[in-house]
Amino acid sequence: MNAGSQLSSGRRPKWIHITIGVSLIVVAVALTVGWQILAGSDFIAREAGTLRWVIYFLGTVLFLLLIGGLALMVLLLIREVRLNERQSNFVSAVTHELKTPVASLKLYLDTLQLRDLPESRREDFYRTMRQDLDRLHATINNVLNAAMYTDRPVVDPQPLDLARLVRRSIDLTRTRHQLPREAFTYEGPETLRLKGNAEALETAILNLLDNAVKYTRDPSQARVDVEVRVDGDGQAHLRIRDHGIGMSRGHLRLIFNRFYRIGREVRRSHTGTGLGLFIVKSVVKGHRGTVTADSPGPDKGSTFTVTLPGVLEGVTADQDAEVPEGATELHG
């Protein structure tokens, strides 16, 4: 798989820009020639009044098309510039996210090799090294998942238990961030079966839960409310609400874009690559579902709602999809 091409697949094809540019040149030439003919023809000026007004009308239309095309080109150029800026920021963020834990691991390994430390200090070093490895693993997974799930519908959906998947994701997130059990509240059925890709959905849910913790002022004090329900429309609804930093209305329509991150690059206090919510959107879209975000404003928390079709009735437990490889059921 070519990860680079997948990450860039959302860019507008070049032939659109070329077509618009050539069309504008043709319109400009036609407009110039038409006005020259109109201005230099005494016969049209004196005798053909109707023809003259037709040419005036066509010239005005072509002039408006020219102005509209130029405005469109400017908008497309601005979009390309912003995308290039986000891609540049993404490269910087990934470089930082890869180099920082590697440098930290090298420092701790050198210290362990060159110095005789007491067991308590060694345990602290091992714990920090494990956190650095988890951070490195998460960065690599984000880049690979963004390539894996972009524009890829679920080809062979299998029965799975969404409620169980959500509870396991909660336990994994709580363990990863070393949070108490009361940090998360779960409201929903014990079992909710639907068809989909269990591994992809777990990736999306873990990204949402990780964001809910990470974008809290004090992650150690994070409180996240998770709700799973089925309405009469036959669709499953997953709602994740945090009490974190929230966001303004202007960010809500942009946060699912590839590479988008809130705030100025030099002033951000949270690590990340800008791919987490893009992966969530891609996974949900691949399941023919929807994901939305809402926030009352800065410092008022955020709510993410995922809607998935294909709820199953009458599927026995042993027909559920296998637990994704490498995942551990921590829920008690």
Side-chain angles (χ1 to χ4, degrees):
M1 179 186 300
N2 188 335
S5 63
Q6 287 291 334
L7 288 175
S8 301
S9 62
R11 298 185 67 176
R12 195 178 302 275
K14 291 182 174 61
W15 63 265
I16 294 182
H17 300 81
I18 296 173
T19 302
I20 294 176
V22 171
S23 300
L24 291 179
I25 293 174
V26 172
V27 169
V29 171
L31 189 60
T32 302
V33 172
W35 285 119
Q36 289 295 329
I37 293 175
L38 184 63
S41 176
D42 294 335
F43 172 77
I44 294 178
R46 291 193 304 268
E47 305 293 339
T50 302
L51 180 59
R52 182 178 59 192
W53 287 110
V54 169
I55 295 178
Y56 278 143
F57 174 75
L58 292 177
T60 303
V61 171
L62 290 177
F63 181 74
L64 293 176
L65 287 175
L66 182 63
I67 297 299
L70 290 174
L72 179 60
M73 287 295 290
V74 170
L75 291 176
L76 292 177
L77 179 61
I78 292 174
R79 288 191 60 179
E80 289 297 318
V81 169
R82 288 178 176 174
L83 178 59
N84 287 335
E85 287 178 350
R86 292 201 298 268
Q87 288 177 330
S88 177
N89 292 339
F90 164 75
V91 172
S92 299
V94 169
T95 302
H96 175 75
E97 289 295 300
L98 292 176
K99 289 180 65 176
T100 301
V102 169
S104 175
L105 285 169
K106 184 177 183 301
L107 175 63
Y108 282 112
L109 286 172
D110 288 344
T111 304
L112 288 171
Q113 185 178 15
L114 298 176
R115 297 180 59 183
D116 186 17
L117 300 174
E119 188 63 27
S120 60
R121 291 292 305 279
R122 295 174 71 91
E123 290 297 326
D124 290 339
F125 277 26
Y126 292 144
R127 188 181 307 109
T128 304
M129 291 166 65
R130 180 53 188 259
Q131 292 173 354
D132 288 333
L133 283 173
D134 288 342
R135 178 177 174 180
L136 191 61
H137 183 259
T139 300
I140 295 172
N141 273 348
N142 266 347
V143 176
L144 295 178
N145 287 334
M148 183 183 303
Y149 299 125
T150 300
D151 298 326
R152 291 180 179 269
V154 178
V155 178
D156 184 25
Q158 298 294 321
L160 60 90
D161 188 343
L162 180 64
R164 179 187 175 198
L165 200 64
V166 170
R167 293 197 301 272
R168 180 172 61 246
S169 298
I170 290 174
D171 289 329
L172 289 171
T173 304
R174 188 175 63 234
T175 301
R176 178 182 302 165
H177 293 278
Q178 301 179 357
L179 297 173
R181 182 169 293 273
E182 58 270 17
F184 292 88
T185 62
Y186 172 79
E187 180 181 348
E190 285 295 315
T191 301
L192 175 56
R193 301 183 182 91
L194 52 79
K195 276 195 170 185
N197 184 318
E199 184 177 357
L201 285 175
E202 183 177 60
T203 297
I205 296 169
L206 285 172
N207 270 312
L208 288 173
L209 293 174
D210 187 66
N211 271 6
V213 174
K214 186 167 63 175
Y215 289 99
T216 300
R217 292 292 181 189
D218 182 1
S220 63
Q221 302 296 321
R223 293 293 181 269
V224 183
D225 304 318
V226 182
E227 178 187 0
V228 176
R229 72 179 193 276
V230 179
D231 290 340
D233 55 6
Q235 299 186 106
H237 301 272
L238 167 64
R239 186 175 70 92
I240 297 176
R241 181 175 182 269
D242 63 64
H243 302 271
I245 63 175
M247 68 191 85
S248 63
R249 291 286 176 182
H251 293 297
L252 291 176
R253 61 185 180 87
L254 301 173
I255 56 174
F256 293 104
N257 290 348
R258 186 189 288 106
F259 311 131
Y260 186 80
R261 299 176 68 205
I262 295 176
R264 294 184 179 274
E265 196 69 29
V266 296
R267 300 172 63 181
R268 290 193 182 105
S269 57
H270 301 90
T271 60
T273 60
L275 290 175
L277 292 178
F278 170 74
I279 293 172
V280 173
K281 184 188 73 171
S282 298
V283 169
V284 173
K285 182 180 178 181
H287 285 77
R288 295 179 291 109
T290 60
V291 57
T292 60
D294 187 37
S295 175
D299 296 318
K300 296 182 179 179
S302 303
T303 301
F304 290 85
T305 304
V306 175
T307 302
L308 297 169
V311 174
L312 300 176
E313 297 293 342
V315 180
T316 58
D318 57 1
Q319 289 176 289
D320 290 338
E322 296 289 335
V323 174
E325 184 178 353
T328 304
E329 177 94 32
L330 299 176
H331 182 72

